[in-house]
Amino acid sequence: FTYICVFSNKLKSKIVFSDELKTDFNKWRIVCGSPQISSIRGLPNPPSLLLEENSTDRRDSFIIAKGISIKNGAISCDVYLEREAVINIIFRCNINNFYMARIDSRSAGSSGILLSKDKIGNWSYINQPNISFQSDMWHHVIVSFKEEKIRLQINNRVFVTKNNEFNFDGEIGLFNEVKRAFVNNFSISQK
């Protein structure tokens, strides 16, 4: 008898965090601001997480998923942007460095992948496709990051692919930057 072993190069993803964002913040650490569960919008129906701009703090609603620190994985969520709103999905976040996927509905704004290399939030685009997204509707967003590749996918279309500059474990979170954004069906999978 001959035994043949076949190994796949593709690693299966495992969901390590999931929250519909309809009841409370038990799974989240609030960094700053006043995020809230709101009955204004929701997918498929209300409530949902509301991240709202505060005139004194651009990152008014900034939350981090508790107990999550990963290097390779994917974030999936549904996002609703009001007119001229911006939301950021943070990943591979540590004390000094982090990436964020920006979804921007401003007419002169641009979505893309940004990198911060300091504690005070000075971000620079590492890939900027000059695309803004329609406001007042839900968008399905997937941010995947594995080894040297980062990919932003919105409504089943890939908009950004970029070679990865940093490859370390880090936290995952959300913050609004301008106006109001709503989030539902948030999950994190690890590869």
Side-chain angles (χ1 to χ4, degrees):
F1 293 101
T2 303
Y3 293 96
I4 298 173
C5 295
V6 178
F7 297 97
S8 172
N9 287 335
K10 292 185 177 182
L11 298 175
K12 292 187 177 184
S13 295
K14 174 185 172 188
I15 293 179
V16 295
F17 182 96
S18 180
D19 192 354
E20 290 182 348
L21 296 162
K22 292 186 176 286
T23 57
D24 55 42
F25 293 106
N26 289 340
K27 296 181 178 184
W28 299 89
R29 176 171 48 91
I30 298 172
V31 177
C32 61
S34 303
Q36 56 188 287
I37 301 299
S38 169
S39 61
I40 298 172
R41 307 205 189 290
L43 186 67
N45 49 41
S48 64
L49 168 67
L50 167 60
L51 302 172
E52 189 167 19
E53 174 188 25
N54 182 314
S55 60
T56 60
D57 185 355
R58 290 185 341 168
R59 304 184 310 170
D60 179 55
S61 298
F62 185 7
I63 60 176
I64 297 283
K66 288 181 182 176
I68 301 295
S69 183
I70 62 175
K71 181 182 352 185
N72 297 319
I75 303 161
S76 175
C77 61
D78 295 306
V79 174
Y80 185 102
L81 300 173
E82 290 188 345
R83 187 171 299 123
E84 302 294 307
V86 177
I87 190 167
N88 299 284
I89 300 171
I90 305 297
F91 57 101
R92 283 189 180 154
C93 176
N94 67 19
I95 288 176
N96 298 311
N97 307 299
F98 62 89
Y99 289 97
M100 68 182 187
R102 174 178 285 166
I103 296 90
D104 194 337
S105 72
R106 297 175 295 184
S107 57
S110 182
S111 299
I113 295 175
L114 292 89
L115 173 64
S116 175
K117 294 183 183 180
D118 59 41
K119 294 180 183 179
I120 59 172
N122 289 322
W123 310 300
S124 58
Y125 278 95
I126 59 174
N127 199 307
Q128 183 179 14
N130 293 319
I131 298 169
S132 63
F133 290 90
Q134 185 175 347
S135 61
D136 301 317
M137 66 178 288
W138 285 97
H139 300 281
H140 184 66
V141 179
I142 299 172
V143 179
S144 57
F145 44 101
K146 182 179 177 199
E147 302 303 329
E148 69 283 345
K149 291 287 186 185
I150 299 170
R151 186 172 80 167
L152 173 61
Q153 183 176 337
I154 301 176
N155 300 329
N156 297 317
R157 290 179 51 207
V158 176
F159 287 95
V160 176
T161 311
K162 176 63 184 168
N163 287 333
N164 187 2
E165 193 169 324
F166 293 120
N167 192 17
F168 48 75
D169 287 7
E171 295 181 297
I172 293 173
L174 295 163
F175 78 86
N176 70 300
E177 195 169 336
V178 180
K179 304 292 183 180
R180 294 196 316 183
F182 299 84
V183 181
N184 268 141
N185 309 313
F186 190 93
S187 68
I188 303 167
S189 57
Q190 186 171 15
K191 295 185 182 201

